[in-house]
Amino acid sequence: MIAGPCAAESEEQTLRIAQRLSNVSGVPLIYRAGAWKPRTSPETFQGVGEVALQWLHSVKLNYGVPVATEVSTPEQVRKALETGIDYLWLGARTSANPILVQALADVIAQSPSRPKGILIKNPVNNDAALWIGNIRRFQKSDFSFQILAVHRGCGHKPCWEMAYRLRQELPQVPLLLDPSHMSGQASRVAELCCIAEELEYDGLMIEVHDEPQHALSDAPQQIPPDELELIIGKRVLKPDTPLELRWLRRIMDEVDDVLWETIAQRMAVSQQIGTFKKANNMDIVQPTRFEEIVQRRLKWASAHGIAPDTVTQIINALHTESIRKQQ
Ligand code: PEP
Ligand code: MN
């Protein structure tokens, strides 16, 4: 369990939350807090920088827990290792850039001090191969520390297939789930932790703040320490379906989400077309246009191994609903 605030905001806040988490028992804890925050907008809080490393060092001394922070540049790696930060994580934005990832792996290889472990988050884009490639860059350097993967999803969507592929290709790499960045909502963190257990993840990375409403970054997704305690205490009933099937069903549900959202989008366009037809005194049903749609999809279906009958049934269902909307 890796837990702590999104960002180290002040020495007092960093130590106060660490103190609160040191009373949460049940799992071994690694304390996280970002010193440098890679934010989308330059107008938002960018992290306090290097000074936070000292605060994390105090957490380690006072509470005896290993500490973790995010690094995005070789200079940040050097500073974090000099200060004795135990675990370094590569964020989603860094993970999108293989040249930078290689530079970070190289600087660790040359560094006199070693971290206990490196956590590599999935890239901001849904790219399993890039994520796997980043992990391989560290593995190739043959380091003695642990290399872990953190699944944080893309754009507040899990993208389960990306993690499924990582599990298949690198089964020996511990896989953690970050429900905070995956959902962007504190109210969804507990539910995602249950899914992590159902899918047999090896651990969690959760953003915890004792005053989430006042957090300087990622305020909507940070949970209070009390809720972390509840999550840790909650035992999920072991499902009796095989693990492989549980993964495939999660992937299928996510594909279905896209499918149904697409159907809703299609209906919205259909309604706009209906308005246009009405304004221009056109018939709702345009047979040549319908025939063109059917033929195009039948050709597509044969290339994808889908039965022509199925395609016709789906198009007819969509068409019927479109007509109803346009009427
Ligand atoms: C973070 O963990 O605070 C963070 C910035 O994560 P990500 O790179 O997943 O956005
Ligand atoms: Mn964050």
Side-chain angles (χ1 to χ4, degrees), residues 5-7 32 34 36-39 70 89-94 121-122 124 150 152-153 178 181 205 207 217-218 221:
C6 176
R32 65 149 283 158
W36 299 276
K37 299 303 303 173
R39 307 299 303 285
E70 173 167 355
W89 84 79
L90 270 56
R93 289 152 193 85
T94 304
K121 292 204 178 193
N122 70 258
V124 265
V150 181
R152 51 86 77 212
D178 172 346
H181 293 91
M205 186 187 211
E207 287 192 341
S217 56
D218 286 346
Q221 72 194 32

Side-chain angles (χ1 to χ4, degrees), residues 120-324:
I120 302 166
K121 292 204 178 193
N122 70 258
V124 265
N125 46 328
N126 184 356
D127 189 340
L130 187 56
W131 190 18
I132 291 165
N134 288 341
I135 293 168
R136 293 283 305 121
R137 285 176 198 279
F138 281 90
Q139 288 178 328
K140 273 177 77 167
S141 302
D142 194 25
F143 294 135
S144 47
F145 53 77
Q146 236 195 339
I147 299 169
L148 307 99
V150 181
H151 177 207
R152 51 86 77 212
C154 308
H156 298 158
K157 301 240 161 57
C159 305
W160 296 114
E161 194 181 11
M162 180 167 52
Y164 176 74
R165 277 189 53 196
L166 183 116
R167 262 288 200 236
Q168 282 190 317
E169 290 193 36
L170 300 172
Q172 73 287 10
V173 172
L175 177 62
L176 279 68
L177 187 117
D178 172 346
S180 313
H181 293 91
M182 184 175 280
S183 67
Q185 289 172 53
S187 61
R188 295 203 47 222
V189 167
E191 156 205 340
L192 284 168
C193 292
C194 290
I195 299 178
E197 192 153 345
E198 173 203 298
L199 297 179
E200 300 185 9
Y201 276 69
D202 302 293
L204 296 161
M205 186 187 211
I206 306 183
E207 287 192 341
V208 180
H209 198 295
D210 61 348
E211 293 175 342
Q213 70 281 19
H214 296 129
L216 299 182
S217 56
D218 286 346
Q221 72 194 32
Q222 306 206 54
I223 59 166
D226 287 352
E227 193 178 338
L228 183 73
E229 260 176 314
L230 286 178
I231 289 172
I232 291 172
K234 198 161 153 187
R235 287 274 69 86
V236 176
L237 280 182
K238 258 248 151 337
D240 48 17
T241 38
L243 180 60
E244 174 76 4
L245 191 56
R246 281 179 249 155
W247 270 97
L248 294 174
R249 285 185 171 159
R250 284 288 165 199
I251 295 171
M252 178 178 267
D253 285 349
E254 202 172 12
V255 171
D256 278 353
D257 286 344
V258 176
L259 181 66
W260 287 99
E261 266 165 37
T262 307
I263 291 174
Q265 274 171 21
R266 190 188 195 278
M267 291 310 159
V269 178
S270 175
Q271 204 151 9
Q272 280 180 281
I273 292 177
T275 311
F276 180 90
K277 285 175 180 167
K278 196 170 178 188
N280 292 278
N281 287 321
M282 288 168 72
D283 289 340
I284 287 179
V285 179
Q286 300 277 321
T288 25
R289 164 76 178 150
F290 182 65
E291 198 43 37
E292 187 191 300
I293 289 177
V294 174
Q295 289 313 321
R296 174 150 22 107
R297 293 304 153 190
L298 281 173
K299 224 157 111 194
W300 178 92
S302 83
H304 287 79
I306 298 176
D309 267 7
T310 310
V311 174
T312 319
Q313 280 176 36
I314 294 172
I315 294 182
N316 281 334
L318 289 172
H319 192 228
T320 307
E321 178 61 10
S322 268
I323 292 171
R324 197 189 63 79

